């Protein structure tokens, strides 16, 4: 799986993921107060100013550039995110590659706020949901943010213990830096 471009998800895997249920009950909870019993993360960074920057960043989010720019491979049913899109994300190299199936829970498409959240499916090492969004604030600042709630969903992440949340914090930092490094329009 390439990490520099989105690749199509093979039809068999896509069908299996579409038929799978989420691995957690609180679907959509990144819209507001996140549920207890999970590790929570909310991070954001200013990435520029103006309407053109907002539009550029919204387009990048909706075409998986957040993940790709963080070094995560994306195989998906839709190169442009829509509600219900399924994807298999992957990080790592060769036999140390971790696959993370997910489905888009909701899309935000407002004049000054855009993004999407995906939730974990069976086979994902974590249970939970993650939101990627950009906001064009009243002071003209464009802010990119990530919000997530998660807990261990596999033996690997259970054994990793406190390293799991640290790894997620590290990857969230890569998301933020990747979006901040988008060349200005």
């Amino acid at each position: 799986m390439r990490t520099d471009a989105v690749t199509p998800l093979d039809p068999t895997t896509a069908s299996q993921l579409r038929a799978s249920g989420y691995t957690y009950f609180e679907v959509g909870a990144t819209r507001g107060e996140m549920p207890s019993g999970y590790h929570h993360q909310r991070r954001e960074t200013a990435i520029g100013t103006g309407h053109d920057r907002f539009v550029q960043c919204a387009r990048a989010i909706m075409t998986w550039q957040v993940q790709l720019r963080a070094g995560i491979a994306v195989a998906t049913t839709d190169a442009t995110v829509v509600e219900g899109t399924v994807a298999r994300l992957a990080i790592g190299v060769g036999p140390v590659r971790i696959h993370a199936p997910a489905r888009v829970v909701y899309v935000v498409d407002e004049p000054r706020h855009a993004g999407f959240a995906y939730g974990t499916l069976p086979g994902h090492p974590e249970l939970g949901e993650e939101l990627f969004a950009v906001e064009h604030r009243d002071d003209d600042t464009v802010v990119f943010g990530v919000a997530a709630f998660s807990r261990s969903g596999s033996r690997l992440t259970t054994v990793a213990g406190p390293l799991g949340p640290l790894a997620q914090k590290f990857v969230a930092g890569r998301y933020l830096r990747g979006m901040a490094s988008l060349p200005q329009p």
Side-chain angles (χ1 to χ4, degrees), residues 44-65:
E44 65 179 33
T45 190
I47 55 175
T49 59
H51 177 73
D52 290 346
R53 182 65 166 171
F54 168 76
V55 170
Q56 175 197 33
C57 292
R59 187 175 306 118
I61 290 168
M62 301 309 288
T63 57
W64 301 99
Q65 292 306 303

Side-chain angles (χ1 to χ4, degrees), residues 2-87:
R2 293 173 47 186
T3 58
D4 62 339
V6 171
T7 58
L9 190 60
D10 73 84
T12 302
T13 302
S15 179
Q16 291 169 345
L17 293 180
R18 282 190 180 108
S20 297
Y22 291 103
T23 57
Y24 63 105
F25 295 109
E26 304 87 347
V27 176
T30 50
R31 288 185 191 266
E33 188 174 332
M34 292 194 277
S36 62
Y38 292 87
H39 169 74
H40 296 172
Q41 177 172 233
R42 285 193 187 275
R43 296 184 63 188
E44 65 179 33
T45 190
I47 55 175
T49 59
H51 177 73
D52 290 346
R53 182 65 166 171
F54 168 76
V55 170
Q56 175 197 33
C57 292
R59 187 175 306 118
I61 290 168
M62 301 309 288
T63 57
W64 301 99
Q65 292 306 303
V66 173
Q67 292 76 18
L68 294 171
R69 295 175 72 78
I72 296 171
V74 179
T76 182
T77 55
D78 300 286
T80 300
V81 173
V82 296
E83 190 171 323
T85 293
V86 292

